[in-house]
Amino acid sequence: MKIKHIITIYAALTAISTNVDAQDAAMLQAYRRQVEAYSHDVKAATHALEVYKENAAAAKADFKPKITGNADAKYTGNPLELNIALPSTYGGRSYTFSGRNTKYGASLTMAQPIYTGGLLKASYGKAKAESENAAFEKKRITNNLIYQADLYIKPIRHTGTM
């Protein structure tokens, strides 16, 4: 009978301590998220990671053909006129040439690099490696920040002043 009471008391104390530990863990996770959300270093590392990912995407796009187009239209107002008197023609007649009021044009260009000596592949590999390094750097900064937060919060948790 006494063993039953001892086991019941032990189970109750274990449940209470587990509940307190779970609350501490939840508060610690919330504190870590706040510290990470307010860190300027993490924000800068995230921005750098996004830049390097965009560079990798641009380097990958260099493998595909590029199509560019251009269009132009101009209104000249008063068109140009040219009057020429040619004496060698029938009786020295005068000829008149006049331009048009509008000028327009369009162009379409498609370019595909055929041989670049491995430049495209090397630049894509470099951009991809820089993107991976930026991801590792962001993770390192985040881990260091969380470690510093844990060092700061540990004395507060044990004294109970939180």
Side-chain angles (χ1 to χ4, degrees), residues 41-114:
D41 293 336
V42 172
K43 289 178 185 175
T46 302
H47 179 67
L49 176 61
E50 291 170 1
V51 167
Y52 284 119
K53 281 184 178 180
E54 287 294 322
N55 288 347
K60 187 175 182 179
D62 286 342
F63 289 113
K64 298 178 182 173
K66 305 254 184 301
I67 298 176
T68 58
N70 187 17
D72 186 22
K74 293 181 183 174
Y75 178 74
T76 58
N78 296 326
L80 297 175
E81 291 187 11
L82 177 63
N83 293 323
I84 299 176
L86 299 174
S88 65
T89 60
Y90 305 105
R93 290 178 48 189
S94 172
Y95 292 100
T96 303
F97 300 97
S98 64
R100 296 185 179 169
N101 289 344
T102 57
K103 296 178 182 179
Y104 51 89
S107 67
L108 184 66
T109 305
M110 184 173 122
Q112 170 70 47
I114 296 174

